[in-house]
Amino acid sequence: GDNYIHHGESVLGLPEWSYCDQRACANIMLSVIDKEFLQRELKYFADGIVHEIQGIFREQEAILQDHLVKPMQAQQLQAQQLQQMQVEQMKSQQLQTQQLQQMHAQQMHAQEIQSQQLQHIHAQQVQAQQLQAQMQANIQFLIQDAESRKLELSTAGEPRASAEHKKRHSFDGQCHPKKYGKTGANYVNDCEGAGCAGCGPGLGLASLLGGTQAPCLRNTALKVEQPTPGQPPARKDLKEFTELCVTDPGVDILLSANETGADNSQRQALENMAGEIGLQLGIAAAEIMKAYDLFIFADSDHSGKLDAHEVRPLLDKMTGVAISDLDFMRVLLACDKDSDGQINFEEFLFCYCNTPEKKIQHLSEWVWQTTGRLPAECRTKVSGVRMCAVKGYLSKEIKEMSACQIIPLIFMLFFVFVLFIEGHGGSLVINGTDEAYKFDIEENANFAFSGIAPFQNGRIGHKNVYDVNTFADFWSWFDLGLLPLLFPESWDVSEMRANLAARCQAPGDAMIAAGEPQTNNLSVASEAHRSAAFSNDLGGLCAELGPQPVPPSEFFRKPPYLFFNSIVAGLRMRQEQVEFRECGLHSLEHRVFDSACMEDPGHWILPDLDQAMGMDKSRVNKPGAETQYLLSQTNQTGIRQQLRELENKAWLNQRTGKIELLYTTYNAHKHLFTSLYIYVFVNRAGHLHKFVKPISLWMNPYESLFSYIVDASFVAMVLYLFFSESKDILGSVRRKGLKSGCLNYFRSFKNVVDWLSIIYSFIIFGMWALYVGTVSQLRLSLEKASTSQPGSWADPADRSSYFELVDELNAESLQFQTICAFYPFMIGARFFSAFSGQPRLAMVTDTLIAAATDVLHFGVVLMSLVLIYSVSALILFGRDVDGFENMGRSFMSVCRGLLGDIDYDALTRIGRPVAGCWFLTFMFLLQLLMLNMLLAIIFDVYSEVKGAVSADAETFWTQSYEIFNRWNEKRKGERFDFSYILEILEEEEADFITETSFRQIVKGLPKHQAEQILLAADAYDPAHSANAKDGADAATRSLNLRAQHLQLMVRSLVASQP
């Protein structure tokens, strides 16, 4: 093959080769070959072979990857996809099988129901056919019997019957009283004989008609259906008049006068029972008493019974219509139960109920009562609509329209209130200001510096206000941390320049700046010693520090606080000092203690804001603990000297219970007045609680015209609601009197909520006026201040009254803030009250009302468990865990735990087994079980309420559109206002009202509006839903109605016979 020879390294540092034949290569190799060269050549050769082999392996691997591995991966992926498809197909088949089984079961169930319904319908049809056959038989019998009555009375009064009549009745000369029919059938005489002679006086029809004898008729009275046994009669306004005022004769309601006559006591007894009797007979109590008076008047012989000729004029007078002979005969046959030919008072009531006019009246009421029998249009025109239903419908519509119309006004009231709060509150600016003050005190008022103050510049303070744990810490924090912040003297410089300035300060100057007075030793020392005390070891280097910063005179006429805030008056420092008391356990005195005892000021835990703000004036400004004022425009040296004096005389001691620092500033850029309160609470355990609260207020509540517009709108809306509600309550008082009108008005929860919100609004107006007045007083006080005067006022009394006014204003501000925070809930109550007038919006309120009873009872159980766990947590964790220190905080911590906000790691401080047992039972019983039960109760009621709302119930926008259309038609004069119509109908006492009578009562009422109101009232009438039955009951009512019509037809046919 080819041969190559190496010539050393090429220019690029790579081996250089050249071509030669075998002989030349061999000669060259023999001349230059050595061991080192051979090793290097072998290495190059081996590296080349390895590189070639690796290349071949990579190529083979790539080929294997392309032709073997990738196809296998594709096949595996395809197999997985096929497997997933098979699983999904199997699931789909199982689901289809389950659906088919469910459908089959539903079909079987539907077939069973349909079979039962068919059997029920078949039974009803059979019953109807039997009833119809019976009625046809009765009609045929009555017609034949009427024809057989064509008899002639002889002059002697004896009857003459035809042969056919005698044959059919088989007269044998004897009278046999018999009872025909079942319950409610009438007793008549079945006279067997030629003329019923010898039957005795009063036993024949002639006695009933006023004669001596009369032909005997067999079962000529109409059969009247009785009420279903076991069912008490319904009230008259809901009674289904399937029987025509005929009750069970077995019921003893004999109320006739006795043989000696009726007296007032009997009439009183009847009057007491008239209502119950009226329910049985389907007539009014007044009709019963009228019948009784007429009966007593006609019973001249006081026998308690009337003859036929006495009964007929009474019936004419009761009904107001003359009764025909045939109808009178029918009534007597139907009601003379004892067949003695005379009528007692009980039988007289039955006679009155069976008169044709009373039956027609009952039939009219029954037609109205049978919903679905006639179309609504026909029913409202034939029998009319109940007056109470019309009034109820109009009241409901007025209420819903009022609720729908008030919703926009309430939204506007809520929006205006938000503008009122934003305009006068300015939460964004106030929050930023308060946060700046609090951050400055907490982060920049430091002490425990690493440098030796005052001889060195403090490089870093390791403690802040919350590290003040002793009285010495308090003075250190006040001197080194708080004082430089609240009483600035110069423009702050960078840290390096501050270090240089501190290094160049002489020791004597540093001590004087720290508040230490020049001692007598310094004043009498020689000039050399004074020079050493007030000189620096740097010599003339300090004189070459260079110029100091010059602050802008526009903003730094007086040193400000936090760049933009002017200091007003300075700082007030006062404390509460408790009194001495007698120590208990005198046996231990001088054995384990020998100090005096003091009252307990409390403060065992960090107080809340409402407890922290303010001071007990009876404990303030005591001898030795006088209120101190650190005046503005005073240098830090003078204030430090004042602090040294307070520290030296132990202004803070064991009698101190509470310390208050008040510092006030004014921001002219935003017209913002800020009060910074710093409280330190000292409990009898020796611990100091710290509390920092800045309060910022606007000194110009009405900065723009927009604020006046918002407030005027707010007041105008509340006044509109006030006058509107006053008009309603005055109308109620005018209609029902003062006491009854007020009770009836405030019986509605909506009216109570409306007046509570109005009263709450007036409270807000009053507190706002009081607050604005106090701000005006503060402005007048500030107008007397001066920036050049230390403490802003020359008179200490003015300064003291200024701080008192600041306290009063801040207290009013916090109270007003709390009152306003609850006002949205009052508006929210009006929201829910207005939503109750709209079916779909009322679902939430209806759910809360419907579930109130269950939730209240469930709440008793839930609250019991919460109290149990609160007391248990107080005992277990009260000594070790924050949030369980007393019963109130323990209760709130348990309530927070219901929502999952509980720190289990903190609970384990008392031991994991006990804490774990308490926590697990708490989670299971309260969080998992009780809360889910509460949700289940509410969801269950909500499902019922939602199911009760029909699918076609009005939406809010459709109701709004309807109200607009009514307003538009009223504007055009095409309809009357519902309130006007209801006011007229309130004076009417009619039971039913038709379209014609409606338009007669309300003069000028348009016909279409009358029709709409009556149809809507008929659909609204709750009596329809109260009497709604299933299909079988409806079929029975239909058959009974047909029977009633057949009876009327029979009466007409009998009356038409010659």
Side-chain angles (χ1 to χ4, degrees):
D2 296 334
N3 296 279
Y4 292 86
I5 190 67
H6 185 252
H7 291 289
E9 300 294 333
S10 63
V11 178
L12 299 177
L14 298 176
E16 189 177 26
W17 299 81
S18 62
Y19 178 79
C20 64
D21 56 10
Q22 292 182 355
R23 185 180 295 276
C25 288
N27 294 329
I28 294 172
M29 291 176 65
L30 291 173
S31 60
V32 299
I33 191 170
D34 57 8
K35 184 177 181 180
E36 180 181 357
F37 172 77
L38 182 59
Q39 290 177 350
R40 187 167 55 250
E41 290 301 323
L42 289 174
K43 181 178 180 300
Y44 287 147
F45 180 72
D47 291 341
I49 292 175
V50 171
H51 179 71
E52 292 294 334
I53 292 174
Q54 288 178 350
I56 293 171
F57 282 165
R58 283 194 294 270
E59 291 178 358
Q60 294 295 330
E61 184 178 0
I63 294 172
L64 183 63
Q65 185 76 16
D66 294 338
H67 293 83
L68 183 59
V69 177
K70 289 184 178 180
M72 290 179 63
Q73 291 178 351
Q75 290 177 0
Q76 292 178 356
L77 180 61
Q78 187 176 4
Q80 292 177 358
Q81 293 177 350
L82 289 174
Q83 187 176 2
Q84 291 178 356
M85 291 175 62
Q86 290 176 357
V87 172
E88 291 177 355
Q89 288 178 357
M90 291 179 64
K91 290 182 179 179
S92 176
Q93 290 177 358
Q94 292 177 357
L95 182 60
Q96 290 178 357
T97 303
Q98 293 176 358
Q99 292 177 351
L100 289 175
Q101 291 176 355
Q102 292 178 357
M103 290 175 62
H104 179 69
Q106 292 175 356
Q107 290 177 356
M108 294 293 293
H109 184 64
Q111 289 177 0
E112 291 178 359
I113 294 176
Q114 186 176 6
S115 176
Q116 294 176 0
Q117 292 177 349
L118 289 175
Q119 293 176 1
H120 192 60
I121 292 172
H122 178 69
Q124 292 176 355
Q125 291 176 351
V126 171
Q127 184 180 1
Q129 290 174 0
Q130 292 176 355
L131 180 60
Q132 185 175 5
Q134 183 180 358
M135 294 304 301
Q136 289 177 356
N138 288 338
I139 293 170
Q140 187 66 26
F141 174 77
L142 290 173
I143 293 174
Q144 294 176 1
D145 193 58
E147 292 177 353
S148 66
R149 292 177 193 169
K150 298 177 182 179
L151 303 176
E152 296 180 0
L153 296 176
S154 61
T155 56
E158 295 181 357
R160 288 183 291 180
S162 62
E164 181 181 358
H165 182 75
K166 293 180 180 180
K167 180 179 179 180
R168 181 156 51 88
H169 289 279
S170 300
F171 291 132
D172 58 359
Q174 299 296 327
C175 291
H176 304 279
K178 294 184 179 180
K179 182 178 179 180
Y180 293 93
K182 298 181 180 179
T183 301
N186 302 292
Y187 289 93
V188 297
N189 287 324
D190 183 10
C191 298
E192 298 179 0
C196 292
C199 291
L203 297 179
L205 183 60
S207 299
L208 293 175
L209 297 177
T212 57
Q213 290 183 355
C216 295
L217 301 180
R218 181 184 183 186
N219 197 20
T220 57
L222 286 176
K223 176 177 172 22
V224 182
E225 294 186 1
Q226 302 302 311
T228 304
Q231 293 184 358
R235 297 183 61 87
K236 181 183 176 183
D237 54 349
L238 298 177
K239 180 178 176 64
E240 294 184 8
F241 297 96
T242 56
E243 78 280 286
L244 298 181
C245 298
V246 179
T247 57
D248 191 346
V251 179
D252 184 12
I253 58 170
L254 182 59
L255 301 171
S256 61
N258 54 25
E259 297 295 334
T260 61
D263 54 14
N264 291 332
S265 61
Q266 291 177 336
R267 191 182 190 284
Q268 184 65 34
L270 174 62
E271 188 173 359
N272 295 334
M273 299 176 60
E276 181 180 357
I277 298 171
L279 289 177
Q280 295 182 5
L281 299 180
I283 59 177
E287 295 179 276
I288 295 177
M289 299 310 300
K290 180 180 178 182
Y292 179 79
D293 294 337
L294 292 175
F295 186 88
I296 294 300
F297 179 77
D299 186 16
S300 58
D301 58 354
H302 303 290
S303 63
K305 293 187 178 182
L306 300 178
D307 295 331
H309 67 278
E310 294 176 325
V311 172
R312 184 166 183 171
L314 298 185
L315 293 179
D316 293 343
K317 190 162 187 173
M318 287 288 294
T319 59
V321 180
I323 189 171
S324 64
D325 294 338
L326 184 58
D327 291 336
F328 182 58
M329 180 188 67
R330 287 175 165 284
V331 169
L332 292 178
L333 290 174
C335 300
D336 187 16
K337 296 190 294 183
D338 52 3
S339 301
D340 60 353
Q342 291 183 328
I343 301 299
N344 58 29
F345 181 64
E346 177 187 8
E347 295 169 342
F348 177 70
L349 289 179
F350 286 134
C351 291
Y352 170 64
C353 290
N354 281 276
T355 56
E357 287 70 22
K358 196 62 180 176
K359 288 182 178 181
I360 293 174
Q361 180 184 354
H362 288 173
L363 180 63
S364 176
E365 295 178 356
W366 181 84
V367 168
W368 171 86
Q369 200 66 28
T370 309
T371 57
R373 176 58 187 167
L374 294 176
E377 295 82 358
C378 299
R379 186 168 58 252
T380 54
K381 293 181 179 180
V382 173
S383 58
V385 182
R386 289 202 307 168
M387 180 66 77
C388 60
V390 177
K391 294 178 182 179
Y393 166 74
L394 292 176
S395 300
K396 178 185 75 72
E397 288 295 313
I398 293 172
K399 176 184 175 182
E400 291 182 356
M401 287 193 299
S402 175
C404 187
Q405 291 171 351
I406 203 68
I407 289 177
L409 180 62
I410 298 175
F411 271 107
M412 291 179 61
L413 177 65
F414 186 78
F415 179 70
V416 170
F417 176 72
V418 172
L419 294 179
F420 170 80
I421 295 299
E422 284 293 327
H424 297 302
S427 300
L428 180 64
V429 177
I430 289 179
N431 179 269
T433 302
D434 291 350
E435 184 65 25
Y437 278 63
K438 189 173 183 180
F439 182 85
D440 188 49
I441 297 301
E442 293 177 345
E443 299 296 330
N444 296 331
N446 301 323
F447 68 105
F449 287 94
S450 57
I452 304 176
F455 303 105
Q456 294 181 359
N457 184 38
R459 291 174 176 80
I460 183 171
H462 296 279
K463 296 183 179 181
N464 60 17
V465 62
Y466 297 110
D467 296 311
V468 175
N469 298 317
T470 62
F471 294 146
D473 288 344
F474 176 82
W475 296 119
S476 300
W477 166 77
F478 202 134
D479 189 359
L480 297 177
L482 187 64
L483 182 60
L485 294 180
L486 303 186
F487 296 90
E489 288 184 336
S490 60
W491 189 265
D492 292 336
V493 296
S494 62
E495 183 177 359
M496 182 177 292
R497 301 184 68 175
N499 292 336
L500 290 175
R503 182 69 178 84
C504 290
Q505 189 177 25
D509 294 333
M511 293 179 64
I512 294 174
E516 294 293 338
Q518 298 184 30
T519 62
N520 294 328
N521 293 331
L522 291 176
S523 61
V524 300
S526 63
E527 186 67 24
H529 287 86
R530 290 178 58 84
S531 177
F534 291 94
S535 62
N536 192 277
D537 58 354
L538 296 180
L541 295 178
C542 292
E544 300 178 0
L545 291 177
Q548 297 299 312
V550 180
S553 60
E554 297 85 354
F555 304 104
F556 208 79
R557 296 172 184 174
K558 300 294 181 182
Y561 174 68
L562 292 180
F563 304 113
F564 303 101
N565 304 285
S566 301
I567 305 170
V568 181
L571 184 143
R572 183 188 67 184
M573 183 168 60
R574 59 180 182 173
Q575 64 166 303
E576 290 182 0
Q577 196 172 61
V578 298
E579 300 294 338
F580 291 103
R581 69 173 180 85
E582 184 180 358
C583 297
L585 297 177
H586 295 285
S587 60
L588 301 180
E589 190 174 1
H590 302 301
R591 290 174 172 80
V592 295
F593 75 94
D594 56 3
S595 61
C597 297
M598 290 156 291
E599 295 178 351
D600 182 9
H603 316 313
W604 295 102
I605 56 178
L606 180 64
D608 297 326
L609 177 62
D610 57 337
Q611 300 173 350
M613 299 295 294
M615 300 284 284
D616 185 358
K617 293 185 178 181
S618 64
R619 295 179 174 180
V620 175
N621 204 20
K622 294 289 185 178
E626 295 83 359
T627 300
Q628 303 294 323
Y629 295 93
L630 307 182
L631 306 183
S632 60
Q633 311 304 326
T634 304
N635 57 29
Q636 295 182 10
T637 300
I639 294 177
R640 283 194 173 96
Q641 291 177 357
Q642 190 174 353
L643 293 178
R644 293 292 182 276
E645 294 176 0
L646 294 175
E647 185 177 4
N648 291 338
K649 70 175 187 179
W651 188 78
L652 297 179
N653 51 57
Q654 285 83 350
R655 295 183 62 187
T656 301
K658 181 179 179 181
I659 307 169
E660 180 195 69
L661 306 179
L662 173 59
Y663 181 76
T664 59
T665 63
Y666 177 71
N667 190 319
H669 307 274
K670 299 298 294 183
H671 309 295
L672 200 63
F673 181 84
T674 303
S675 305
L676 176 63
Y677 287 93
I678 302 175
Y679 289 98
V680 180
F681 305 92
V682 184
N683 61 30
R684 298 303 93 178
H687 183 70
L688 277 64
H689 294 287
K690 282 72 64 177
F691 189 88
V692 180
K693 176 61 179 177
I695 302 176
S696 298
L697 307 171
W698 299 104
M699 293 301 295
N700 188 10
Y702 292 95
E703 189 174 3
S704 63
L705 180 62
F706 181 74
S707 299
Y708 288 99
I709 295 175
V710 170
D711 288 11
S713 301
F714 189 18
V715 174
M717 289 183 181
V718 173
L719 289 178
Y720 172 79
L721 295 174
F722 171 76
F723 288 117
S724 177
E725 297 297 332
S726 300
K727 181 180 177 181
D728 293 341
I729 194 173
L730 289 177
S732 179
V733 170
R734 186 172 58 254
R735 290 191 301 270
K736 299 184 178 182
L738 179 60
K739 183 178 179 180
S740 300
C742 292
L743 291 177
N744 181 71
Y745 178 81
F746 287 107
R747 189 175 292 115
S748 173
F749 180 72
K750 170 185 175 298
N751 296 331
V752 175
V753 170
D754 293 344
W755 274 105
L756 285 178
S757 65
I758 292 172
I759 294 173
Y760 206 95
S761 301
F762 284 127
I763 292 175
I764 290 179
F765 294 159
M767 294 192 66
W768 174 248
L770 182 63
Y771 170 77
V772 172
T774 308
V775 170
S776 300
Q777 293 180 13
L778 181 61
R779 289 180 60 180
L780 293 176
S781 178
L782 292 175
E783 290 174 359
K784 300 177 182 179
S786 174
T787 57
S788 60
Q789 176 67 40
S792 300
W793 287 273
D795 189 357
D798 293 339
R799 189 181 309 111
S800 177
S801 62
Y802 159 77
F803 280 107
E804 294 293 334
L805 188 60
V806 170
D807 290 334
E808 180 182 353
L809 180 60
N810 291 327
E812 292 178 1
S813 174
L814 294 176
Q815 291 177 0
F816 182 72
Q817 177 183 346
T818 304
I819 293 295
C820 288
F822 288 96
Y823 187 66
F825 296 99
M826 303 302 300
I827 301 179
R830 293 190 68 108
F831 273 128
F832 286 107
S833 177
F835 292 161
S836 62
Q838 214 290 321
R840 296 189 181 274
L841 294 178
M843 285 195 293
V844 176
T845 56
D846 291 345
T847 300
L848 296 177
I849 294 173
T853 303
D854 294 337
V855 171
L856 181 62
H857 288 82
F858 179 81
V860 173
V861 180
L862 178 61
M863 192 57 59
S864 301
L865 289 176
V866 171
L867 290 175
I868 289 172
Y869 274 92
S870 299
V871 175
S872 175
L874 175 64
I875 298 172
L876 288 176
F877 313 121
R879 299 186 178 187
D880 300 283
V881 183
D882 294 338
F884 299 92
E885 298 93 339
N886 55 29
M887 186 60 192
R889 296 195 177 191
S890 178
F891 178 80
M892 290 305 300
S893 297
V894 171
C895 292
R896 291 174 59 183
L898 289 175
L899 303 178
D901 185 11
I902 190 168
D903 187 1
Y904 175 72
D905 293 334
L907 301 182
T908 57
R909 295 176 187 173
I910 67 165
R912 290 187 178 274
V914 177
C917 180
W918 186 93
F919 181 76
L920 290 177
T921 57
F922 171 79
M923 293 292 292
F924 176 74
L925 288 178
L926 288 179
Q927 194 173 40
L928 297 180
L929 186 62
M930 299 301 291
L931 285 185
N932 286 309
M933 288 178 64
L934 178 62
L935 294 177
I937 292 173
I938 297 176
F939 288 159
D940 184 48
V941 176
Y942 178 76
S943 300
E944 295 179 359
V945 172
K946 187 176 181 181
V949 178
S950 60
D952 57 347
E954 281 187 315
T955 60
F956 177 71
W957 37 90
T958 57
Q959 190 176 21
S960 302
Y961 181 72
E962 181 183 13
I963 293 174
F964 173 77
N965 285 339
R966 290 176 179 174
W967 172 83
N968 192 29
E969 292 179 359
K970 179 183 175 183
R971 181 180 59 85
K972 296 179 180 179
E974 298 177 356
R975 71 182 297 116
F976 285 2
D977 188 72
F978 281 174
S979 300
Y980 171 74
I981 298 174
L982 181 60
E983 185 177 357
I984 295 176
L985 294 181
E986 288 290 349
E987 302 176 357
E988 297 294 327
E989 298 180 357
D991 293 335
F992 294 89
I993 182 172
T994 62
E995 178 186 330
T996 304
S997 60
F998 196 7
R999 298 183 65 189
Q1000 290 176 353
I1001 295 172
V1002 184
K1003 304 296 184 182
L1005 181 66
K1007 182 178 180 181
H1008 71 279
Q1009 187 179 6
E1011 293 177 351
Q1012 292 175 358
I1013 292 176
L1014 290 179
L1015 290 174
D1018 183 70
Y1020 166 76
D1021 194 347
H1024 295 323
S1025 59
N1027 289 328
K1029 304 291 184 179
D1030 55 10
D1033 294 336
T1036 303
R1037 289 198 302 268
S1038 178
L1039 292 174
N1040 290 332
L1041 180 61
R1042 293 180 63 185
Q1044 302 286 344
H1045 282 289
L1046 289 173
Q1047 289 180 349
L1048 294 177
M1049 290 174 60
V1050 169
R1051 190 189 68 181
S1052 301
L1053 290 173
V1054 174
S1056 64
Q1057 295 297 323

